[in-house]
Amino acid sequence: MNRILITSAIPYINGIKHLGNLVGSQLPADLYARYNRGRGREVMFICATDEHGTPAELAAAKAGQPVDEFCAEMHGVQAEIARGFRLSFDHFGRSSSARNQALTQHFAGKLAENGLIEEVVEQQVYSHADGRFLPDRYIEGTCPNCGYDKARGDQCENCTKQLDPTDLIDARSAVSGSTDLEVRETKHLYLRQSAMKDKLDAWISAKADWPVLTTSIAKKWLHDGDGLQDRGITRDLDWGVPVKKGDQDWPGMEGKVFYVWFDAPIEYIAATAEWADANGKADADWQRWWRTDMGADDVKYVQFMGKDNVPFHTLSFPATIMGSNEPWKLVDYIKSFNYLNYDGGQFSTSQGRGVFMDQALEILPADYWRWWLLSHAPENSDSEFTWENFQQSVNKDLADVLGNFVSRVTKFCRSKFGEAVPDGAYGDSEVALIDELTPRIRAYEGHMEAMDVRKAANELRAIWVAGNEYLQSAAPWSVFKENPERAAGMIRLSLNLIRLYAVLSAPFIPDAAATLITAMNTDDAWPDDVSAAMDVLKPGHAFTVPDNLFSKIADEEREGWQARFSGVRD
RNA sequence: GGCGGUGUAGCUCAGUUGGUUAGAGCAGCGGAAUCAUAAUCCGCGUGUCCGGGGUUCAAGUCCCUGCACCGCCA
């Protein structure tokens, strides 16, 4: 399979994500995308904003904007931050697109045709003042249990008791404060996931190579209690995909929209169609990624997400795909992540705790964050961000080991031989280094193929260290005094090593890699043959000495950030 | 209350289907070198693998139990 389809869980439109969100989906997805492109494979890397639902409506109202304008603006903000982190999406779509609307309605129609949609009448609270139905959590009142006066319709945060909105005393709308509420009957559509339980179970059971985090969460939902439950896929809202059966009206569902979790994963497909539209491509150009009857059988499809998104991607979305009875591409591998904690607690969007993506970029270039986050990715268990650890790791790995290697080699060369690759033969120590590097690079590739992010980072670091070890024992600065030609061979190898590092490191630290490629005045072809790769830069090849790749984080800086980010975001 | 997860060196973490003296990076200590961003390289770990039982020739690795922290659900 030389075509790889990669999707990252799509971030909600409401606000800017924190570093924990980033490392759980978009960043490792980008790492994998860049690696595969580096290996010469055809990659389609898709992400988007998840724009529908009540939180977006309320955030827009708070900002005094129509919800569509609000989303358009926030999409722009998130896209800009993604560029700042060098997330190399082929397309960053929007779940509110016409493409997604049509596809979502199409899937709903097919599911209905196949008897997988059930219409259910239920009771829900309607607010006359707001002119809308209110989700349970947007109804406030006094808790009948403990008397707390800001209990929510789904749960009292004070005594943690689960509530029904009708339990609340003096219930009022959390949106407007109005007490003019009424319980009304309303009809909703349910996706009959329970009818597909066995099929999903068999599918998941066959995925022995998936991370246990992924399969264990899926199995839990499949087998816990009464097993996989049907889920409502519609809501009484204005902002969303209107409920339709394909392009036909759906009697009795007028004025309702599909619930976000139904339309959000369909956006992976729709965003690829958006990509085609944006680039003047034909439908066949996106369908070859998604329709197994149009070439997608040759595609390897990998999804990246945090563990909170696993149920939707292992059960709900596959139920949608399978239930359509159409030849859509199912996911081949789901890479899931645990949570990243922040300095002893959790990152929290709602509480504004931790470092958010825009703030991170204000402080330091993307490469610093990319390197630390990926080399500490929460793969096997939750992991922890601390400022001391961040400072030490980044200073040591990036500035001291990699950056300083480049600096010492290029500056030594400039002072003794000038800014061109010197002419000198390779001896035993150079061959020995190549012999050490070759299995290391193969191991690095293996970890990248397996999406073992931390292991890949560790191997890459070891490859950087090998250069310093070599240089230290070869000691061209000493050899030069007696045998300049021998020293020239050592430096020629070291300059080629810099090029090698740039190529290998690009998925982790793309900006620094690009700087090195430019400085070395060379290309970024992958080192399939390490020996040959050590001979790309020929004697006489001109280069320039780059500025220091990474400046170090000073203690005072770290302390300042520590203080600045100790509280909550404004 | 139920279910699940985690608990390994000062810190962040690896430890495959139970099998030799439990590992890595960072920090710390000692040394070498001086090309380089006072960077680099070499050497140095007697850790109750949370506590307590148990299975086994053999357990960080399996079972039971207690404790701590964290999730999810009622």
Side-chain angles (χ1 to χ4, degrees):
Chain A
M1 293 195 197
N2 275 329
R3 285 198 293 146
I4 319 270
L5 173 63
I6 301 166
T7 60
S8 159
I10 66 178
Y12 197 66
I13 191 68
N14 180 16
I16 292 164
K17 303 299 115 180
H18 54 62
L19 296 181
N21 298 130
L22 178 65
V23 73
S25 53
Q26 294 175 323
L27 196 49
D30 183 68
L31 179 79
Y32 191 60
R34 287 178 178 275
Y35 168 74
N36 277 293
R37 291 193 197 103
R39 300 305 307 274
R41 294 166 191 149
E42 191 181 355
V43 169
M44 179 61 72
F45 179 25
I46 292 293
C47 194
T49 40
D50 178 11
E51 305 193 356
H52 293 134
T54 307
E57 287 185 308
L58 296 181
K62 193 176 171 188
Q65 283 179 295
V67 65
D68 55 342
E69 278 180 25
F70 172 81
C71 287
E73 191 177 316
M74 287 306 297
H75 176 83
V77 169
Q78 294 212 20
E80 186 57 36
I81 293 173
R83 274 192 289 277
F85 272 98
R86 307 297 183 252
L87 301 174
S88 59
F89 308 133
D90 288 288
H91 192 72
F92 187 58
R94 303 181 56 186
S95 70
S96 61
S97 69
R99 282 290 196 174
N100 194 39
Q101 177 161 322
L103 262 174
T104 299
Q105 291 167 342
H106 169 82
F107 274 106
K110 286 294 164 189
L111 290 165
E113 260 177 44
N114 297 327
L116 292 168
I117 299 286
E118 186 179 2
E119 299 189 6
V120 176
V121 174
E122 42 192 46
Q123 311 283 314
Q124 215 179 335
V125 174
Y126 184 84
S127 166
H128 291 280
D130 298 307
R132 57 182 291 168
F133 282 92
L134 295 174
D136 291 354
R137 52 188 282 228
Y138 288 107
I139 302 159
E140 283 182 353
T142 301
C143 176
N145 192 48
C146 71
Y148 179 61
D149 66 355
K150 287 197 178 68
R152 298 195 323 198
D154 55 345
Q155 182 180 34
C156 174
E157 289 178 333
N158 187 51
C159 69
T160 76
K161 186 176 171 59
Q162 302 282 311
L163 299 171
D164 195 83
T166 54
D167 296 337
L168 293 171
I169 300 162
D170 298 330
R172 60 185 181 274
S173 162
V175 180
S176 62
S178 168
T179 55
D180 187 10
L181 307 178
E182 170 189 356
V183 177
R184 285 190 185 178
E185 278 196 347
T186 180
K187 188 160 71 175
H188 283 294
L189 304 181
Y190 274 68
L191 175 60
R192 296 183 59 217
Q193 297 187 142
S194 57
M196 304 195 62
K197 179 182 173 243
D198 292 343
K199 198 170 177 181
L200 290 166
D201 199 1
W203 178 64
I204 293 290
S205 297
K207 305 299 183 185
D209 60 327
W210 285 14
V212 286
L213 182 66
T214 304
T215 50
S216 67
I217 291 173
K219 295 263 182 190
K220 184 179 188 297
W221 282 64
L222 280 165
H223 301 301
D224 241 29
D226 298 329
L228 188 59
Q229 300 297 300
D230 295 343
R231 292 201 68 152
I233 58 167
T234 54
R235 287 294 185 273
D236 289 294
L237 296 179
D238 297 324
W239 178 234
V241 176
V243 176
K244 284 196 170 190
K245 205 178 279 189
D247 54 7
Q248 304 296 305
D249 287 338
W250 201 311
M253 296 304 290
E254 296 80 8
K256 298 175 194 291
V257 299
F258 288 105
Y259 186 34
V260 278
W261 78 252
F262 184 70
D263 77 66
I266 294 172
E267 169 65 7
Y268 293 145
I269 305 173
T272 316
E274 292 170 44
W275 161 85
D277 296 341
N279 291 283
K281 308 270 187 184
D283 279 343
D285 291 319
W286 68 264
Q287 287 168 334
R288 67 193 275 271
W289 292 96
W290 283 103
R291 295 284 298 211
T292 55
D293 57 341
M294 300 187 69
D297 265 334
D298 292 331
V299 170
K300 177 177 179 180
Y301 176 23
V302 181
Q303 295 175 341
F304 290 81
M305 70 200 67
K307 61 184 171 186
D308 51 330
N309 270 316
V310 169
F312 302 122
H313 290 79
T314 52
L315 304 168
S316 304
F317 187 42
T320 300
I321 297 282
M322 290 175 179
S324 73
N325 270 338
E326 292 183 326
W328 297 100
K329 177 77 188 170
L330 267 175
V331 66
D332 292 302
Y333 191 86
I334 296 181
K335 176 73 177 178
S336 55
F337 290 84
N338 285 286
Y339 294 140
L340 179 70
N341 289 319
Y342 177 75
D343 236 349
Q346 293 187 332
F347 274 93
S348 168
T349 301
S350 58
Q351 293 172 32
R353 184 168 195 281
V355 183
F356 290 75
M357 286 172 71
D358 56 336
Q359 300 171 321
L361 290 177
E362 286 169 18
I363 294 177
L364 287 167
D367 281 352
Y368 287 69
W369 299 106
R370 291 178 62 105
W371 174 252
W372 190 89
L373 290 168
L374 289 167
S375 62
H376 293 77
E379 291 178 294
N380 295 300
S381 62
D382 291 357
S383 64
E384 171 121 349
F385 174 92
T386 65
W387 286 101
E388 288 85 353
N389 187 301
F390 175 69
Q391 178 194 18
Q392 286 173 355
S393 298
V394 160
N395 283 354
K396 183 69 178 177
D397 297 340
L398 297 183
D400 296 347
V401 175
L402 176 61
N404 185 53
F405 178 81
V406 172
S407 180
R408 66 198 297 205
V409 169
T410 53
K411 285 173 184 169
F412 181 80
C413 182
R414 181 172 60 187
S415 75
K416 304 299 184 195
F417 304 105
E419 283 184 275
V421 178
D423 196 358
Y426 290 168
D428 290 347
S429 53
E430 286 68 40
V431 172
L433 177 65
I434 291 168
D435 286 346
E436 182 198 340
L437 246 24
T438 299
R440 283 198 180 282
I441 291 168
R442 299 290 95 92
Y444 175 66
E445 291 166 353
H447 292 140
M448 289 295 253
E449 300 288 344
M451 290 163 255
D452 279 331
V453 177
R454 292 174 85 128
K455 287 180 180 170
N458 284 338
E459 195 60 52
L460 181 59
R461 185 200 291 115
I463 289 169
W464 294 341
V465 168
N468 279 311
E469 289 172 0
Y470 160 77
L471 209 56
Q472 204 65 27
S473 67
W477 48 89
S478 303
V479 173
F480 180 81
K481 293 168 191 163
E482 302 299 327
N483 189 348
E485 201 178 321
R486 179 81 190 91
M490 295 171 178
I491 292 304
R492 179 162 75 85
L493 183 90
S494 299
L495 290 167
N496 275 286
L497 217 42
I498 290 173
R499 178 184 168 282
L500 178 79
Y501 289 170
V503 176
L504 295 176
S505 309
F508 282 92
I509 45 173
D511 286 349
T515 299
L516 292 179
I517 292 293
T518 301
M520 298 284 68
N521 189 21
T522 183
D523 70 297
D524 60 357
W526 194 263
D528 293 315
D529 179 334
V530 179
S531 192
M534 290 292 93
D535 228 9
V536 171
L537 303 180
K538 307 288 188 192
H541 179 94
F543 68 91
T544 53
V545 175
D547 291 335
N548 284 346
L549 275 188
F550 299 99
S551 57
K552 296 220 251 187
I553 298 170
D555 290 346
E556 308 80 66
E557 289 178 295
R558 187 209 75 218
E559 285 160 12
W561 297 331
Q562 221 159 1
R564 175 177 164 191
F565 295 104
S566 63
V568 299
R569 181 167 199 169
D570 319 329

